[in-house]
């Protein structure tokens, strides 16, 4: 706790120290801005959903506060630093300060921008503003799209080329960099086997391209990304499993080896997971205050069969009614066949009681299935934005999630799986920028 | 009846006061060339930062001023909420900060005349022959 408070102190002190420097002496303009969301979410279920939500309610999923310092040294060079305080990515209980952005920009011409430092990866339509709730209508960006990848910020560089047309602005962004994050492995408990939620530190090297067209009313976005992720503190035998091999005990009876503590050869594993990600999205005006928005993402994990391969996306319709902007959305996240096949085979494998220690073996099958990051969930949501003014906004949403066969967003209760559940989530938030 | 007359006369005065703001003109430092409305709009939306090798420094009046509201309406085609919202998003996508804000026309005239590349806007009634008018509403 002391370490975290010290980290928070360091970040705030650094930002305030920068703010206290009189950059105008060097001909620089400085501006300090901030954003915050106080968000409460509660479900009708006793187990955790999206890490934090249960029937006790939580402020953790949506609440966030941050600040941004922009220093324009001249028209060409500027420095941007953004820090935030939000739930930790390495613990379900901690609140951590984090440096989200910190980059130097060089804009030699109107249409070219170079950035070096910690920059945000342009995965989604709202990648850059996803922490700033006052800048979009949704009470919560659909997890089926916006949680597909944990690597939102990279330490590296990006180049942005802009073409200005009468109809709007076309932007091509290329980036490359490295990021350090955590992979959250859901906990499970199948008598007599149980494991707590674990966070594995990861290092990802990624690069990609994003093309965005933006007019006064509409935005279109497509992107492609290539990434290589490794676990930074995993030892041999504890890297990324490729698949769970089937061990036959007798004709028609066997088990999937899901742990190296079970008999048989070591599980096949890779030290580096290679993932390709493609996204597409649009946010368009239909006239008369109606807006239609939607995004789609495809994750293709090239070298393992029990990875996060999936198709995800959402479609939403909203209507501007003065200060109000009610909306309706449908979102879906579906693991690809190879992941779902492996999940279903392991999950449905039953070792008959005639086999010695069948109870433990059956528990290993459920535990193994639970360790596969598989998804088959759909969420319907209705909500509304209420703009007090351009910088202060209230939001409310009612979302119903059907977890389908399986959803790794659910921390399932003891001896149960995450599938076939209906979860109602109510969210309320106050969002401000200043 | 007297009260109604008072209210009506107040309303007429208020309407007159609103409409008494004259034409808004865009002025620039002497090194800034004349430009069309689309270019002015792009400068105030951060899409153009230099023109003919001149580094541009646009300034706004404070939010809520009559001159600013009229400028946003005529030259930018947005109201205050939309303009603030546009810059809020643009700031948080790391694409710059909105033009600096000055308190009144006197400060704008002083800044524009003394700063190379500076651009501002004032009510046309404040124009003098020393000021470089670079754009007018059509």
């Amino acid at each position: 706790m002391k370490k975290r408070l010290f980290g928070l102190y360091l970040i705030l002190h650094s930002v305030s120290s920068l703010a206290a420097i009189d950059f105008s002496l060097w001909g620089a303009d400085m501006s300090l801005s901030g954003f915050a969301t106080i968000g409460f979410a509660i479900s009708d279920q006793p187990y955790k959903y999206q890490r934090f939500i249960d029937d006790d309610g939580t402020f953790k999923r949506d609440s966030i506060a941050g600040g941004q310092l922009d220093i324009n040294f001249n028209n060409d060079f500027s420095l941007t630093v953004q820090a935030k305080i939000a739930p930790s990515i390495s613990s379900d209980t901690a609140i951590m300060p984090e440096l989200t952005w910190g980059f130097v920009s060089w804009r030699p011409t109107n249409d070219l921008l170079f950035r070096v430092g910690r920059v945000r990866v342009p995965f989604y339509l709202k990648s850059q503003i996803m922490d700033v709730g006052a800048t979009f209508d949704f009470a919560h960006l659909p997890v089926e799209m916006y949680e597909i990848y944990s690597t939102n910020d990279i330490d590296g560089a990006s180049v942005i080329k802009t073409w200005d047309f009468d109809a709007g602005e076309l932007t091509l962004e290329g980036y490359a960099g490295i990021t350090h994050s955590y992979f959250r492995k859901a906990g499970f408990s199948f008598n007599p086997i149980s494991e707590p939620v674990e966070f594995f530190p990861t290092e990802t090297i990624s690069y990609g391209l994003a093309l965005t067209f933006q007019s006064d009313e509409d935005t279109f976005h497509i992107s492609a990304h290539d990434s290589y992720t490794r676990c930074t503190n995993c030892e041999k035998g504890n890297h990324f499993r490729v698949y769970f091999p089937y061990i036959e005990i007798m004709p028609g009876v066997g088990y999937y080896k899901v742990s190296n503590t079970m008999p048989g050869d070591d599980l096949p594993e890779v030290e580096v997971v290679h993932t390709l990600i493609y996204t597409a999205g649009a946010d368009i005006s239909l006239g008369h205050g109606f807006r239609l928005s939607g995004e789609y993402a495809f994750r293709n994990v090239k070298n393992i069969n029990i990875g996060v391969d999936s198709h995800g996306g959402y479609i939403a319709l909203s209507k501007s009614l003065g200060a109000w902007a009610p909306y309706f959305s449908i979102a879906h996240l579906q693991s690809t066949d190879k992941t779902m096949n492996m999940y279903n085979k392991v999950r449905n494998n039953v070792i008959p009681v005639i086999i010695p220690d069948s109870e433990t073996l059956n528990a290993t099958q459920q535990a193994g299935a639970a360790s596969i990051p598989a998804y088959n969930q759909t969420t319907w949501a209705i909500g509304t934005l209420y703009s007090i003014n351009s910088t202060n906004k209230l939001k409310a949403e009612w979302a119903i999630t059907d977890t389908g066969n399986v959803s790794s967003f659910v921390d399932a209760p003891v001896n149960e799986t995450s599938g076939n559940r209906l979860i109602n989530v109510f969210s309320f938030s106050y969002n401000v920028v200043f | 009846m007297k009260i109604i007359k008072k209210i009506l006369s107040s309303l007429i005065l208020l309407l007159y006061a609103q409409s008494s703001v004259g034409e808004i003109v865009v002025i620039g430092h002497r090194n800034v060339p004349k430009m069309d409305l689309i270019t002015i709009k792009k400068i105030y939306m951060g899409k153009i930062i230099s023109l003919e090798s001149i580094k541009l420094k646009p300034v706004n009046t404070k939010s809520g001023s009559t001159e600013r509201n009229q400028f946003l309406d005529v030259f930018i085609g947005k109201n205050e909420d939309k303009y603030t919202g546009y810059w809020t998003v643009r700031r948080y996508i790391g694409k710059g900060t909105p033009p600096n804000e000055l308190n009144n026309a006197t400060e704008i005239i002083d800044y524009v005349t003394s700063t190379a590349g500076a651009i501002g806007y004032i009510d046309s009634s404040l124009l003098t022959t020393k000021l470089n008018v670079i754009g007018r509403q059509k």
Side-chain angles (χ1 to χ4, degrees):
Chain A
M1 186 65 181
K2 277 183 180 173
K3 256 179 143 179
R4 287 173 200 136
L5 286 174
F6 185 64
L8 173 62
Y9 167 77
L10 272 183
I11 286 182
L12 292 176
H13 182 72
S14 304
V15 170
S16 62
S17 298
L18 278 169
I21 297 171
D22 188 1
F23 287 96
S24 61
L25 293 175
W26 305 338
D29 290 327
M30 187 189 70
S31 72
L32 193 58
S33 55
F35 58 89
T37 295
I38 301 167
F40 181 75
I42 187 167
S43 80
D44 59 349
Q45 300 296 336
Y47 48 83
K48 299 285 187 192
Y49 172 57
Q50 294 179 36
R51 294 178 64 192
F52 305 116
I53 306 170
D54 60 17
D55 55 5
D56 287 333
T58 180
F59 283 97
K60 279 188 168 177
R61 185 190 66 164
D62 294 331
S63 297
I64 188 171
Q68 183 168 314
L69 178 68
D70 291 279
I71 302 169
N72 298 312
F73 294 104
N74 54 42
N75 271 35
D76 295 349
F77 285 96
S78 63
L79 170 70
T80 302
V81 179
Q82 187 188 96
K84 70 177 182 184
I85 304 167
S88 169
I89 57 170
S90 61
S91 161
D92 284 346
T93 54
I95 306 292
M96 288 289 280
E98 187 187 347
L99 181 69
T100 34
W101 298 355
F103 57 80
V104 173
S105 299
W106 177 40
R107 192 174 171 187
T109 61
N110 290 322
D111 57 358
L112 211 50
L113 173 64
F114 296 90
R115 298 197 283 201
V116 176
R118 179 164 293 178
V119 296
R120 180 142 289 184
V121 175
F123 273 123
Y124 319 111
L125 272 178
K126 301 181 194 319
S127 278
Q128 284 89 346
I129 52 171
M130 58 197 284
D131 292 331
V132 189
T135 59
F136 53 85
D137 293 355
F138 295 113
H140 187 75
L141 293 166
V143 291
E144 289 82 356
M145 181 76 197
Y146 279 79
E147 294 287 335
I148 63 160
Y149 210 60
S150 59
T151 309
N152 286 316
D153 304 304
I154 56 159
D155 295 328
S158 77
V159 183
I160 300 171
K161 166 73 179 166
T162 303
W163 291 270
D164 203 13
F165 300 106
D166 289 343
E169 188 180 71
L170 183 67
T171 303
L172 178 65
E173 178 170 2
Y175 73 90
I178 189 168
T179 189
H180 294 90
S181 186
Y182 288 85
F183 173 73
R184 182 182 186 271
K185 183 170 156 285
F188 53 79
S189 183
F190 296 100
N191 190 31
I193 301 168
S194 70
E195 279 187 17
V197 170
E198 282 186 277
F199 290 85
F200 295 100
T202 59
E203 181 183 81
T204 300
I205 293 171
S206 57
Y207 56 91
L209 284 172
L211 188 66
T212 306
F213 179 78
Q214 189 156 30
S215 67
D216 280 349
E217 294 290 336
D218 307 324
T219 306
F220 301 90
H221 176 84
I222 54 171
S223 70
H225 313 267
D226 196 0
S227 73
Y228 299 84
T229 302
R230 70 182 185 91
C231 173
T232 54
N233 74 347
C234 294
E235 294 175 353
K236 184 171 165 40
N238 201 20
H239 288 288
F240 298 97
R241 273 70 192 267
V242 179
Y243 65 96
F244 296 142
Y246 183 72
I247 311 292
E248 193 170 61
I249 301 170
M250 54 188 281
V253 176
Y255 62 87
Y256 288 91
K257 177 174 171 161
V258 298
S259 162
N260 279 332
T261 59
M262 299 168 77
D265 296 337
D266 280 353
L267 286 168
E269 64 176 20
V270 292
E271 288 187 23
V272 177
V273 172
H274 180 199
T275 308
L276 295 171
I277 299 171
Y278 305 97
T279 69
D283 180 11
I284 55 177
S285 167
L286 301 177
H288 306 288
F290 284 99
R291 297 200 68 79
L292 184 68
S293 59
E295 290 184 79
Y296 164 78
F298 173 47
R299 289 184 288 190
N300 179 11
V301 183
K302 300 293 284 181
N303 54 346
I304 61 176
N305 290 347
I306 49 177
V308 290
D309 283 62
S310 64
H311 303 270
Y314 71 91
I315 189 160
L317 182 67
S318 65
K319 163 85 172 150
S320 178
L321 295 164
W324 296 90
Y327 63 86
F328 168 73
S329 69
I330 305 172
H332 185 68
L333 181 57
Q334 175 67 54
S335 290
T336 57
D337 287 348
K338 71 176 181 183
T339 302
M340 283 306 293
N341 287 343
M342 193 80 235
Y343 174 82
N344 287 327
K345 281 179 183 173
V346 179
R347 162 90 179 86
N348 297 323
N349 189 45
V350 178
I351 294 94
V353 289
I354 55 165
I355 303 296
D357 213 12
S358 63
E359 188 187 7
T360 303
L361 276 174
N362 281 322
T364 63
Q365 304 304 279
Q366 300 307 311
S371 72
I372 298 173
Y375 300 90
N376 175 224
Q377 80 164 40
T378 305
T379 297
W380 296 267
I382 55 169
T384 189
L385 163 83
Y386 176 74
S387 296
I388 300 166
N389 53 41
S390 61
T391 56
N392 290 268
K393 298 180 180 185
L394 297 171
K395 299 178 183 182
E397 184 186 84
W398 173 27
I400 305 170
T401 296
D402 178 348
T403 63
N405 274 351
V406 55
S407 171
S408 292
F409 291 128
V410 171
D411 290 347
V414 172
N415 289 329
E416 294 180 25
T417 66
S418 59
N420 303 311
R421 296 173 184 279
L422 213 55
I423 307 167
N424 287 277
V425 176
F426 300 92
S427 316
F428 312 92
S429 65
Y430 167 66
N431 306 266
V432 62
V433 290
F434 46 92
Chain B
M1 194 63 183
K2 277 184 178 176
I3 293 172
I4 294 171
K5 276 184 179 173
K6 272 188 175 178
I7 292 171
L8 279 173
S9 54
S10 301
L11 278 173
I12 290 166
L13 276 174
L14 190 66
L15 286 170
Y16 177 76
Q18 289 288 323
S19 59
S20 67
V21 175
E23 178 197 14
I24 290 292
V25 290
V26 180
I27 56 173
H29 189 74
R30 61 178 179 275
N31 72 336
V32 177
K34 295 199 168 12
M35 57 188 73
D36 58 24
L37 266 60
I38 291 173
T39 305
I40 291 169
K41 178 179 178 179
K42 286 178 177 174
I43 291 169
Y44 273 87
M45 296 183 79
K47 294 177 179 178
I48 292 178
I49 58 167
S50 64
L51 196 66
E52 298 176 12
S53 301
I54 299 164
K55 306 294 184 188
L56 301 170
K57 294 176 180 170
V59 286
N60 269 317
T61 52
K62 290 284 184 193
S63 176
S65 73
T66 310
E67 290 86 354
R68 175 168 165 140
N69 288 341
Q70 195 167 329
F71 172 77
L72 292 180
D73 180 37
V74 173
F75 287 85
I76 311 298
K78 292 182 186 294
N79 62 25
E80 178 66 40
D81 274 2
K82 292 273 184 192
Y83 186 66
T84 307
Y86 168 84
W87 270 110
T88 301
V89 171
R90 198 166 174 93
R91 178 197 294 273
Y92 286 114
I93 60 175
K95 285 193 169 178
T97 51
N100 284 341
E101 293 180 356
L102 299 179
N103 288 316
N104 50 48
T106 310
E107 284 188 18
I108 286 184
I109 291 170
D110 287 348
Y111 179 77
V112 167
T113 51
S114 62
T115 310
I119 295 173
Y121 49 84
I122 56 171
D123 189 299
S124 60
S125 64
L126 299 171
L127 275 178
T128 64
T129 51
K130 289 179 182 172
L131 294 174
N132 174 26
V133 176
I134 59 170
R136 315 186 78 111
Q137 62 189 75
K138 287 179 180 173

